[in-house]
Each structure stands twice: as C-alpha cells, then as structure tokens.
Amino acid sequence: MELADIGQPMKLALEIHRQLRAQFDQVPTQLPLASLAKAVGIVGIKEIATDDFEGTLVVQDGFGAIGLRKGLRSGRRNFTIGHEIGHFVIPNHRFGRDKFQCAIVDMGRERSGGNWDSRPPLERIEVEANEFSAALLVPVPEFQKERRRLGTACDIVHIRQLAETFDVSQEMMAKIYVNASDESAAIITSHRGLVRRVIPKSGFPYLGLRRDAPIPATALTSTFRPGGGQSSISDLCEVATHTWLDRKGSVSALYEQVFVQEDGWAMTLLIADEEDSDDEDDDRDWNRRSDRQM
Ligand SMILES: [Zn+2]
C-alpha cells in the first residue's frame, strides 16, 4: 500500500478506504486489521501482559511492530491497533521517534476545545492517532448504510448493534451515532449510578455533568428496574426538562431512554426538542404561517 505523500490523518484513512474499495468493491464493516497493518509495513502484532500501556509501536529500519496490552476487549483492541497504525503512517509522528507507548489516557484524547496550536506536540499526535483510528474503523458510507437499515428514529439499542457490526466499542460508536443523528441527542454512560462519560452531539444543551456525578434521582435511568424476563431497554419516554437540565433554554421537550447493561453499567440516550431561535425574521414567518391557517 502506497501512502507516502499523504500527511493528514483523515485523508490517510480515506485513502486506505479508497484502496480497499478498489480491491473489494466496498470496505468490509470489520476491517482486516492484521493484513492492513502488514500492507503498510508493520511486521507483527503481539499481546503483552503489562499495565504500562494500552498499545505500543516500535519502528526499526522502516518497519513497525505493534504491542497490545493483553486482555483488551475486541472493540478496544481494534481501536488500539488503528491508533498504532496511525502513528506509523502519519508522517510527522515518526520524525525523531522510533518508539511510542500509549497509555489509556492517550487513547481518550480529543481535539475538542482550546487552542490546537498551543497543545503540547506529544498530545497532538495522540489526538491525531485517535482521529485516524476512528475514521479508519468506521468508514462514513458504510456507517450510513448500516444506520439507514435501522430506520430514521433514534433508539439506544442501535449503538450496541452498530458497535457489533463494526467491532468497535459502544462508547466510540455512541460518539459517531449522536453526531450523525438528525436529532439533538446525547449519550451518558454510567456505572452504579455515577456518570462515567457524557457524549453530546455538538450543540446539545449544556448538561453540566462531570465524571462521578450521580445520575439525577428522578431520571428514568435511576428509576427503571427491568425485572425477570423483561427487556433491559426502556421505552423512549418524555421526562421533565429539569430532570437533566439546569436551564430549560429553548428546549421544549426532553426524552430519555435507558439500556441497563452488565455489571452495573447503563447507557442513557437523551433527545432534546428545541424551539426555533426566535429572532425577528422567524417571528414574522411564524405569524404569516398562523395567519394563513386562520
Ligand atoms: Zn499513541
């Protein structure tokens, strides 16, 4: 595989997809990561019993070798391989470095917020490797095709289904899912009633939830108790906006659905209906519309 002239992480992932499409007609929903690694010059992927890192890449004489922490779940394992392939193929990552050791905190680094140019270079390469891996593992056209098959409405069960289809973690799929949604949506993961992660679509009303904050007591996530034989997934129910939002703002209705998972984990979907912004033009349009109806 020839990738030498491409510098940008996303473009690199797209180029790999293009070459796979040329060969197989479409990108397989579960990428053949081992062969792909080989095709770009990575000679081996090994599991190592360690707590020092999630993934590591060692480069010697132009070839790479990947080490993975033993015991990673399939979705995380794929993400980590994608991340290390990223360090290998993104040209400026290898300037002056022949060994990468990536901790769990590196795997979670995101671009969001702040001034990109002022981020330390070592953080920036971790963000880029993550962006590359996500783009590589879930190609947009294949995602859209699978998403359309599930219908237009949001349903929290889709996240597990799509995570399984692409063999990625539910958390990663949740991020892709809310951002691709037509609705204003957010996902909250929690463990034994405490927030682990908040994944809002950009523009979702501010939730003000931090890691370890308790899930609101009146939320469906707190009150829903699937009994023997019942589904562990609730319906999507309307809840009072103040259950989750300090300020109602332009939100006219809030909906919540919860998926109770193994070992005290839960995933919550929130959907906010928002009124259109009420600047003067909108008001005039609205008045005209109501005039016509009368
Ligand atoms: Zn890394």
Side-chain angles (χ1 to χ4, degrees), residues 142-181:
E142 281 73 11
F143 170 80
Q144 286 171 335
K145 189 174 155 200
E146 295 298 324
R147 175 66 189 86
R148 272 197 301 271
R149 283 150 61 123
L150 300 170
T152 48
C154 283
D155 190 317
I156 199 155
V157 75
H158 294 165
I159 291 171
R160 181 176 276 193
Q161 289 169 339
L162 290 164
E164 281 170 4
T165 301
F166 290 90
D167 203 0
V168 298
S169 70
Q170 290 189 67
E171 207 171 283
M172 178 178 153
M173 185 49 75
K175 198 171 160 190
I176 296 170
Y177 189 84
V178 293
N179 281 311
S181 160

Side-chain angles (χ1 to χ4, degrees), residues 1 4 8 39 57 62 87 151 158 164 181 189 207 209 218 229 249:
M1 205 169 250
Q8 286 181 2
L57 170 74
H87 285 316
H158 294 165
E164 281 170 4
S181 160
T189 63
L207 283 160
L209 288 174
T218 55

Side-chain angles (χ1 to χ4, degrees), residues 45-273:
I45 299 174
K46 221 199 246 174
E47 309 221 345
I48 300 165
T50 178
D51 285 326
D52 293 346
F53 55 77
E54 291 282 284
T56 181
L57 170 74
V58 180
V59 185
Q60 202 177 8
D61 303 326
F63 292 98
I66 290 177
L68 301 173
R69 180 167 72 78
K70 201 172 180 167
L72 291 178
R73 290 172 78 156
S74 178
R76 283 216 70 88
R77 188 177 187 278
N78 289 339
F79 184 77
T80 307
I81 297 175
H83 177 105
E84 301 306 334
I85 295 178
H87 285 316
F88 189 76
V89 297
I90 301 167
N92 66 325
H93 287 204
R94 272 157 61 188
F95 287 157
R97 293 192 74 188
D98 52 19
K99 189 170 184 191
F100 299 80
Q101 262 199 10
C102 312
I104 194 152
V105 57
D106 297 319
M107 298 291 160
R109 289 197 196 280
E110 293 180 335
R111 188 174 292 257
S112 58
N115 181 352
W116 176 247
D117 293 325
S118 67
R119 297 276 291 270
L122 290 184
E123 258 182 55
R124 276 189 274 171
I125 66 168
E126 298 307 333
V127 173
E128 288 181 348
N130 289 336
E131 290 177 345
F132 170 83
S133 185
L136 180 73
L137 294 174
V138 186
V140 173
E142 281 73 11
F143 170 80
Q144 286 171 335
K145 189 174 155 200
E146 295 298 324
R147 175 66 189 86
R148 272 197 301 271
R149 283 150 61 123
L150 300 170
T152 48
C154 283
D155 190 317
I156 199 155
V157 75
H158 294 165
I159 291 171
R160 181 176 276 193
Q161 289 169 339
L162 290 164
E164 281 170 4
T165 301
F166 290 90
D167 203 0
V168 298
S169 70
Q170 290 189 67
E171 207 171 283
M172 178 178 153
M173 185 49 75
K175 198 171 160 190
I176 296 170
Y177 189 84
V178 293
N179 281 311
S181 160
D182 292 335
E183 310 198 66
S184 182
I187 293 287
I188 295 148
T189 63
S190 57
H191 187 233
R192 302 197 196 290
L194 300 179
V195 171
R196 306 319 290 179
R197 199 147 173 228
V198 181
I199 305 166
K201 180 177 178 168
S202 93
F204 189 85
Y206 180 62
L207 283 160
L209 288 174
R210 289 171 176 279
R211 191 183 160 92
D212 291 331
I215 295 285
T218 55
L220 185 61
T221 302
S222 300
T223 57
F224 179 68
R225 292 276 175 276
Q230 276 178 303
S231 169
S232 54
I233 303 171
S234 77
D235 291 332
L236 183 68
C237 301
E238 184 166 358
V239 292
T241 53
H242 61 75
T243 308
W244 289 96
L245 304 172
D246 281 346
R247 290 182 57 245
K248 191 169 183 273
S250 59
V251 176
S252 55
L254 187 68
Y255 300 86
E256 178 179 354
Q257 185 185 23
V258 60
F259 186 173
V260 177
Q261 307 192 331
E262 299 81 17
D263 304 325
W265 285 91
M267 195 179 254
T268 304
L269 168 68
L270 296 179
I271 293 178
D273 275 354

